[in-house]
Amino acid sequence: MEKQKLPNATVGLILGILSFIGCCCTSGFGGVLLSGIALFLINKDKKKYIENPELYDNYGQLNTARIISIIGLVLSLIIVGVYIYLQATGQYDDMQNEYMKMLEEMQENQ
C-alpha cells in the first residue's frame, strides 16, 4: 500500500512562513492570525497521523511547519505587545510624527 501525504502539511508550512511577513507588516496581528490557522490545520493532521502512522510519510514536514508556526506566533505576539504598549503610552504617535518629519526632510534634500 502506497503511503499518502498529510493534506495540510504544505498549507501549514506556507501559512507559517507567511506569518513572519504578517508579523512585520501588520503590527503583529496578521502573523497571529496566519500562524493560528496554520497551527489549527497542523494539529488536525497530527491527530490523523497518530491514528494511523503507517499511512502517511510526510510527518517531518508537518513538524517543520509546526515549529515555524510557533516561532511566527511568538514573534507576532511580541510585536503585538510592543504595539499595544506604544499605543497605550502615546509613543506610537510620536514615532509616526518623527518618521514623517524625516521623510519630509529627505524629500526637501533631493
Side-chain angles (χ1 to χ4, degrees), residues 97-109:
N97 290 336
E98 288 295 321
Y99 180 71
M100 292 305 289
K101 285 180 191 176
M102 201 169 52
L103 283 177
E104 289 171 4
E105 288 175 8
M106 287 175 62
Q107 287 178 349
E108 290 173 2
N109 291 336

Side-chain angles (χ1 to χ4, degrees), residues 49-62:
Y49 179 81
I50 289 172
E51 289 174 4
N52 292 314
E54 64 278 349
L55 291 179
Y56 303 105
D57 67 345
N58 63 338
Y59 188 70
Q61 183 181 6
L62 192 71

Side-chain angles (χ1 to χ4, degrees), residues 14-35 72-73 75-77 79-80:
I14 292 170
L15 286 173
I17 292 169
L18 287 176
S19 73
F20 286 111
I21 297 168
C23 114
C24 297
C25 297
T26 61
S27 301
F29 295 106
V32 170
L33 179 68
L34 291 173
S35 58
L73 179 65
L75 288 175
S76 296
L77 288 174
I79 291 176
V80 166

Side-chain angles (χ1 to χ4, degrees), residues 72-91:
L73 179 65
V74 169
L75 288 175
S76 296
L77 288 174
I78 289 170
I79 291 176
V80 166
V82 168
Y83 176 76
I84 291 172
Y85 171 76
L86 291 175
Q87 283 284 14
T89 60
Q91 294 177 11

Side-chain angles (χ1 to χ4, degrees), residues 6-17 19 34-50 56 58-73:
L6 291 163
N8 296 321
T10 304
V11 174
L13 188 61
I14 292 170
L15 286 173
I17 292 169
S19 73
L34 291 173
S35 58
I37 293 169
L39 287 171
F40 173 76
L41 293 174
I42 290 166
N43 284 336
K44 206 161 93 169
D45 273 4
K46 189 174 179 180
K47 288 177 187 174
K48 281 184 186 180
Y49 179 81
I50 289 172
Y56 303 105
N58 63 338
Y59 188 70
Q61 183 181 6
L62 192 71
N63 274 337
T64 303
R66 183 173 173 263
I67 291 168
I68 290 173
S69 297
I70 289 171
I71 292 170
L73 179 65

